[in-house]
Amino acid sequence: MKFFIDTANLEQIKEAQALGILDGVTTNPSLMAKEGITGEENILQHYRAICESVDGDVSAEVIATDYEGMVQQGEALAALNPQIVVKLPMIAAGIKACKYFSDKGIKTNVTLVFSVGQALLAAKAGATYVSPFLGRLDDISTDGLNLIEEIRLVYDNYDFGTQILAASVRHTMHVVNCAKIGADVMTGPLSSITGLLKHPLTDSGLATFLADYAKGN
Ligand code: E4P
């Protein structure tokens, strides 16, 4: 399972990268705005900095909602670095643009996916990644994990190469449950990754080992 971090915060990206287990980064316009990154040039520059801070794929989202605009913005993003994955919204123009980029060998991530039918269309358009938003479905009392399970079933039925990128992951149990049901990738905040490190028996066990070692030295 690949681990992506879902942030535009360079410090957090570097912290996750330093752990040695990071496979990439996802961003979105809200995460960029949260870091105070505004204006086209600053946003492009920030994507360059993210690519330099991480080994692996970096999803960069288009803002246009029409096909021509998506193609233009996606090409500008893809030209920044081979690590860039063009992130496209799950609307008709996004699917059409996804097909355009897949035919050109440019990686894509179809985002804002909330149904199996949408995921099927993204796979048909040759998406590299499809992003079902697990946490946002849970927020409205719908089973987000169930959506990922159903997409897994459909993709396996037809051997689609599109990778299921479990997005909107909020906590460690989302990560563990996504791994159990076969999501290819998860993207979440730094806390959803570092939280996996923690267990009280690890802490108490280590404290005992160190104390026993100290007794003999
Ligand atoms: C995915 O690519 C999105 O950036 C993200 O996972 C959305 O997460 P949220 O629902 O916590 O905003």
Side-chain angles (χ1 to χ4, degrees):
M1 188 195 207
K2 291 186 198 169
F3 274 26
F4 288 177
I5 187 169
D6 194 30
T7 184
N9 182 291
L10 282 179
E11 293 315 308
Q12 292 184 12
I13 290 168
K14 287 175 187 166
E15 189 178 333
Q17 172 70 23
L19 273 175
I21 49 79
L22 193 66
D23 300 295
V25 177
T26 52
T27 62
N28 63 41
S30 305
L31 292 171
M32 281 294 203
K34 194 175 163 195
E35 298 305 317
I37 315 293
T38 54
E40 199 180 329
E41 251 328 295
N42 291 335
I43 289 173
L44 293 179
Q45 186 48 40
H46 200 66
Y47 280 131
R48 284 192 199 97
I50 291 175
C51 289
E52 280 166 19
S53 307
V54 70
D55 300 321
D57 288 347
V58 175
S59 284
E61 191 158 343
V62 301
I63 306 302
T65 53
D66 63 301
Y67 171 71
E68 288 76 16
M70 285 181 182
V71 166
Q72 190 188 13
Q73 289 179 7
E75 283 185 332
L77 290 167
L80 291 175
N81 190 298
Q83 288 167 258
I84 292 286
V85 177
V86 179
K87 199 172 179 190
L88 301 154
M90 179 62 232
I91 57 176
I95 288 299
K96 197 174 161 191
C98 178
K99 181 75 172 74
Y100 170 85
F101 286 116
S102 358
D103 286 349
K104 287 189 81 176
I106 292 173
K107 286 180 279 187
T108 52
N109 175 357
V110 175
T111 190
L112 289 165
V113 165
F114 293 95
S115 77
V116 181
Q118 291 179 326
L120 184 55
L121 277 178
K124 292 279 294 173
T128 313
Y129 298 106
V130 64
S131 289
F133 275 34
L134 164 62
R136 291 194 193 185
L137 282 169
D138 286 359
D139 288 346
I140 57 159
S141 306
T142 306
D143 189 349
L145 281 171
N146 184 54
L147 171 62
I148 292 170
E149 271 180 313
E150 289 186 344
I151 297 172
R152 178 78 284 153
L153 174 71
V154 169
Y155 280 13
D156 288 351
N157 280 348
Y158 297 98
D159 281 334
F160 281 122
T162 301
Q163 296 177 55
I164 303 173
L165 197 175
S168 188
V169 157
R170 303 277 171 76
H171 50 71
T172 54
M173 285 316 293
H174 273 160
V175 179
V176 170
N177 287 325
C178 283
K180 283 184 183 171
I181 60 177
D184 299 293
V185 192
M186 81 83 199
T187 192
L190 181 61
S191 59
S192 70
I193 299 173
T194 54
L196 295 169
L197 288 164
K198 295 176 189 155
H199 197 286
L201 290 178
T202 302
D203 297 339
S204 60
L206 181 61
T208 303
F209 286 158
L210 294 179
D212 288 344
Y213 174 81
K215 282 180 204 161
N217 288 280

